[in-house]
């Protein structure tokens, strides 16, 4: 199978596992949970699969890690899109959950997707070793909680009403929390599932996550809503400091390229076996959505 | 120590552990998490302590179970009080989180309290056995998620716009999910932590949970906002079917008394060692808040 076919097969398998795991949830909340976990780039899930495979972990367990991180990502998007947060109508080219249903359903569907992620990790089907399952829960909770992603979201909201724009250092820290933690976790978890040392994959993920966010800022300026499936120009419109507003378009693009080069270097211990992760790094730099 | 003093010491210890565990969270979200976990009856936390003690579990681990269930309860209240849900201004005699801060902070603080509960359970400080920690996460996630509490909340919202009022059978099922699951979990988890058979304590919790909700409905009709620390008469005002609207005040009170008698009977295998749980059952029936 070609590299592209392998990554595409990963995305398909993740959707199949998510559909299976979400099937028991009924009513509007269940429908909204499924709606929010359809489509998307599946970057976090594919990172889990690739890092698990590279670490020698079984595919079945890896797919549960992928489903869990995609569920947490979907929960964060549902709540982030709410009128009291970013107030977005469009996500992945479709109506956001509170537009398709209502705000109460969006709050509950996000809540339940977070719960489901921890349920799936803690289940013996993920791995026979209970201590490992508990560690997967612990590391994901640290990455997603009020010292991780939620802290990044809170800093982001605070930045909008701040008197002075953020410095590059503060934006880097904010984005490391808001986006980086949930891109790092699948790499760490994949290594844990294969009983491998997580450090090189965590280093890779650190560079990748920051590059990912810089490219996000570039796409907000240069991308089209049709391709991205969400609104563009929101940050510039809000006068918000971003990597692009501080570094300029050319500077931001150069910084992203440097980070992707560093991410690829972090893969050197694995040689050709890391071709999938290497391709993902290149994709993050060149993506148009 | 008298029974009352033992239960009061439990409430104080739970608050101390919650304060310690929440101390690392800063900013408005951290403040809101602390605000939402102050006060309250601590019924769920005290159930965890009493069931753990009865099962021979260590106090330190039991306090972490209590903190986790109180965090999940607080998260559910924060989100339930949002304008798009029950739209409440007052909780435990103080402003709700979205009134004291804003809706975005309330969404994030609720999200982060849920995450924190799973983080605390999965941490080795809860118990040395990783498989047990994973089981604690799994059972809590099942109780709180879209087949448990969240499903109950969704059914409750759907009932408000239903053409015909719910039957007694449907209200019982709705309340079992919405309230019962999170009253049952601390009893189950306390037994698990002490390596005891959960069945008798789970049976106790089932009767207690339903009685608790019937008394809640009675207090909504008969209680005062000053004592309860939250709005009263909301269900009757909304024309909502409750245990009281179907059974009448006297019928509902009799049903609650029968359930509490059944809960106390479920404790008979433990004899005098279950005096704390017996007292809690009596308190649930006689409470005025």
């Amino acid at each position: 199978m070609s590299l592209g076919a392998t990554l595409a097969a990963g995305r398909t398998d993740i959707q199949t596992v998510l559909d299976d795991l979400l099937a028991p949830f009924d009513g509007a909340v269940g429908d909204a949970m499924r709606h929010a976990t359809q489509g998307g780039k599946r970057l976090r899930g594919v990172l889990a699969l690739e890092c698990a495979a590279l670490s020698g972990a079984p595919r079945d367990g890896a797919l549960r890690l992928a489903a869990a991180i995609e569920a947490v990502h979907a929960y964060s998007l549902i709540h982030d899109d709410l009128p009291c947060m970013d107030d977005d109508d469009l996500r992945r080219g479709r109506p956001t959950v509170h537009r398709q249903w209502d705000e109460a359903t969006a709050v509950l569907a996000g809540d339940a997707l977070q719960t489901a992620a921890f349920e799936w990790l803690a289940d013996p089907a993920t791995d026979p070793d209970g201590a490992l399952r508990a560690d997967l829960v612990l590391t994901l909770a640290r990455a997603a909680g009020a010292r991780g992603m939620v802290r990044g979201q809170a800093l982001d909201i605070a930045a909008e009403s701040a008197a002075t724009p953020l410095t590059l250092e503060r934006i880097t820290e904010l984005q490391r929390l808001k986006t980086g933690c949930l891109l790092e976790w699948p790499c760490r978890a994949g290594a844990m599932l294969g009983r491998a040392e997580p450090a090189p994959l965590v280093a890779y993920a650190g560079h990748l996550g920051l590059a990912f966010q810089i490219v996000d800022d570039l796409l907000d300026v240069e991308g089209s809503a049709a391709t991205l499936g969400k609104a563009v120009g929101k940050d510039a419109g809000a006068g918000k400091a971003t990597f692009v507003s501080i570094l300029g378009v050319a500077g931001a693009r150069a910084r992203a390229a440097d980070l992707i080069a560093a991410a690829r270097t972090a893969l050197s211990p694995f040689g050709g076996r890391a071709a999938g992760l290497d391709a993902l790094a290149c994709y993050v730099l060149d993506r148009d959505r």
Side-chain angles (χ1 to χ4, degrees), chain A:
Chain A
M1 215 170 357
S2 75
L3 195 56
T6 304
L7 297 176
R11 281 190 284 270
T12 305
D13 289 352
I14 293 168
Q15 189 64 55
T16 303
V17 169
L18 274 170
D19 291 345
D20 281 357
L21 289 169
L22 292 171
F25 303 126
D26 65 0
V29 170
D31 291 341
M33 291 167 80
R34 278 179 287 276
H35 174 93
T37 49
Q38 294 282 330
K41 296 180 287 290
R42 299 265 178 255
L43 177 59
R44 292 154 192 80
V46 172
L47 282 172
L49 294 189
E50 291 296 314
C51 290
L54 192 57
S55 306
R59 177 89 168 174
D60 283 357
L63 282 165
R64 295 178 67 92
L65 304 186
I69 191 64
E70 291 290 338
V72 168
H73 181 51
Y75 126 65
S76 76
L77 297 181
I78 295 175
H79 284 187
D80 213 34
D81 287 339
L82 283 170
C84 67
M85 307 273 281
D86 281 357
D87 194 13
D88 277 307
D89 297 336
L90 200 64
R91 171 68 69 179
R92 296 173 176 170
R94 297 183 310 157
T96 48
V97 170
H98 67 274
R99 296 290 292 172
Q100 179 90 23
W101 286 272
D102 50 52
E103 285 183 53
T105 303
V107 169
L108 291 175
D111 289 345
L113 278 168
Q114 178 178 191
T115 319
F118 291 114
E119 182 182 339
W120 299 339
L121 292 181
D123 191 289
T126 300
D127 191 274
D129 179 2
L132 179 77
R133 300 198 304 274
D135 273 355
L136 290 168
V137 169
L138 186 61
T139 51
L140 180 56
R142 285 182 180 153
R147 271 169 296 182
M149 179 190 69
V150 165
R151 183 151 192 270
Q153 289 180 301
L155 291 174
D156 202 19
I157 291 172
E160 278 167 25
S161 56
T164 51
L166 294 186
T167 62
L168 183 61
E169 190 183 6
R170 297 292 295 275
I171 293 177
T172 304
E173 170 65 3
L174 185 163
Q175 294 299 348
R176 188 186 65 75
L177 292 166
K178 190 178 169 185
T179 312
C181 289
L182 286 197
L183 281 167
E184 184 194 297
W185 184 82
C187 297
R188 180 187 299 279
M192 289 165 69
L193 196 70
R195 277 71 177 169
E197 166 57 40
L201 294 176
V202 167
Y204 161 83
H207 302 304
L208 187 80
L210 196 51
F212 181 86
Q213 189 56 47
I214 294 174
V215 174
D216 234 40
D217 287 353
L218 284 161
L219 289 172
D220 189 60
V221 174
E222 300 184 318
S224 81
T227 309
L228 285 166
K230 63 181 181 183
V232 296
K234 289 196 72 164
D235 292 340
K240 212 163 140 181
T242 69
F243 289 110
V244 176
S245 74
I246 294 182
L247 298 170
V249 167
R253 188 149 282 283
R255 180 71 61 104
D258 288 349
L259 286 161
I260 290 300
R264 299 178 70 186
T265 302
L267 297 174
S268 56
F270 302 104
R273 295 192 303 126
L277 292 175
D278 193 70
L280 280 175
C282 298
Y283 161 76
V284 161
L285 189 61
D286 297 329
R287 70 199 174 97
D288 62 357
R289 68 181 185 105

